[in-house]
Amino acid sequence: MTALKQEVIDLIAEIPDEKSDVLIKIRNSIREVLGICSTSRAEKNIAIMDKIQNLIGDDIPWANEEEMIKELAQMRRQRLRS
């Protein structure tokens, strides 16, 4: 392992857990450089929507999908802050 690679690994190890968004960006960048395919953001969002639909079934507490997405985004932001 080169000194540069080790330095990068050491720096990544120092990133606080609260900065998971930074780690995700680093991971995605590394995957891109290595040519590792990952699903697109849209595909991931559709899969998440399908999981939510399977969990809640027809008993939807929101007026529409837009309202649901806003509420879920707000919950996610609150979770990231804490």
Side-chain angles (χ1 to χ4, degrees):
M1 181 179 311
T2 66
L4 179 59
K5 285 182 183 179
Q6 186 59 51
E7 181 183 357
V8 171
I9 290 170
D10 293 341
L11 289 171
I12 291 171
E14 291 181 31
I15 296 172
D17 290 339
E18 306 85 53
K19 298 285 187 174
S20 61
D21 57 326
V22 174
L23 290 172
I24 290 169
K25 287 178 185 177
I26 293 169
R27 181 197 62 197
N28 291 344
S29 295
I30 292 170
R31 284 183 174 175
E32 186 178 326
V33 168
L34 296 175
I36 298 172
C37 296
S38 62
T39 56
S40 72
R41 185 178 190 119
E43 290 171 332
K44 289 177 185 176
N45 289 342
I46 290 171
I48 290 168
M49 294 294 288
D50 289 341
K51 287 179 184 178
I52 292 170
Q53 182 66 45
N54 289 337
L55 286 172
I56 62 175
D58 293 329
D59 185 25
I60 300 173
W62 302 281
N64 55 46
E65 286 184 23
E66 200 171 271
E67 186 181 316
M68 177 188 68
I69 291 169
K70 286 179 185 177
E71 184 176 330
L72 293 173
Q74 183 181 18
M75 288 170 46
R76 181 174 169 259
R77 281 188 220 102
Q78 288 173 347
R79 190 171 18 124
L80 290 174
R81 286 186 205 136
S82 44

